[in-house]
Amino acid sequence: MNFLLDDNFFMRAALLEAQEAFSRGDVPVGALIVKDGEILSKGSDKKISDPTEHAEIIAIRSAAEKLNHWNLTGCTLYVTLEPCPMCAGACVNARLSRVVWGAKNYKSGAGGTLYNILSDSRLNHVCKIKTGVMSSECLKILQDYFFIRRKKSCSQPV
């Protein structure tokens, strides 16, 4: 299996999920769970309505439901933004084999930038991680979203 080609292919699909969130006016983060080359589940941030509805959590819940089991060993999570501590903990608890993320999360990254929950050997599971896949594309959609948000908030009367 050529991971580089597959990782880029699946990250493009995660970017489509991020675009969906962007279109709804939510933070453009997209995620999907893949097993044996098949997309099991997808998710995009819905944090505006619920602070726990991160793309990763949505995708993990959906994959577990589809497999009718909480243990996602053999699965890979693709996510456009490095997981936060909550999502990294969910990845460990779900026993995901791999986590592939795009853009660094300088505010709350738990896949190596600020914390390393995904690969912390003191925990009951360690996820293999791959960082920076299509990072410029993943970062651009976030920058575009926050540019528009700042522009809107500056143009509103006080």
Side-chain angles (χ1 to χ4, degrees):
M1 177 187 296
N2 186 336
F3 277 124
L4 177 60
L5 293 176
D6 290 339
D7 288 345
N8 287 339
F9 174 82
F10 291 120
M11 190 59 75
R12 277 190 202 85
L15 277 163
L16 291 175
E17 292 300 306
Q19 185 61 51
E20 184 177 312
F22 189 106
S23 299
R24 284 194 313 270
D26 216 323
V27 180
V29 177
L32 46 105
I33 305 276
V34 174
K35 184 170 186 174
D36 299 326
E38 177 190 348
I39 296 173
L40 293 179
S41 63
K42 300 176 182 181
S44 59
D45 269 20
K46 296 180 181 174
K47 294 190 310 188
I48 287 177
S49 60
D50 179 342
T52 67
E53 289 289 294
H54 291 208
E56 301 96 319
I57 300 295
I58 294 166
I60 289 169
R61 286 177 181 157
S62 181
E65 186 176 317
K66 185 170 185 176
L67 294 175
N68 200 29
H69 204 279
W70 64 270
N71 189 320
L72 300 181
T73 298
C75 296
T76 298
L77 169 72
Y78 290 88
V79 61
T80 58
L81 180 65
E82 179 183 3
C84 71
M86 175 183 71
C87 294
C91 292
V92 169
N93 287 329
R95 309 293 195 275
L96 285 165
S97 294
R98 287 179 79 220
V99 176
V100 178
W101 53 264
K104 282 188 175 189
N105 184 343
Y106 291 103
K107 301 235 182 229
S108 64
T113 299
L114 294 180
Y115 312 102
N116 202 352
I117 293 170
L118 295 172
S119 297
D120 189 330
S121 62
R122 296 170 295 176
L123 299 175
N124 61 345
H125 176 75
V126 172
C127 303
K128 293 179 185 172
I129 59 173
K130 183 172 180 183
T131 66
V133 174
M134 298 183 66
S135 60
S136 58
E137 294 91 334
C138 294
L139 181 59
K140 178 155 181 16
I141 192 169
L142 287 161
Q143 289 173 330
D144 291 349
Y145 172 80
F146 286 109
F147 176 80
I148 291 167
R149 291 271 317 254
R150 282 190 292 278
K151 191 173 177 183
K152 282 182 181 179
S153 68
C154 290
S155 65
Q156 294 177 355
V158 179

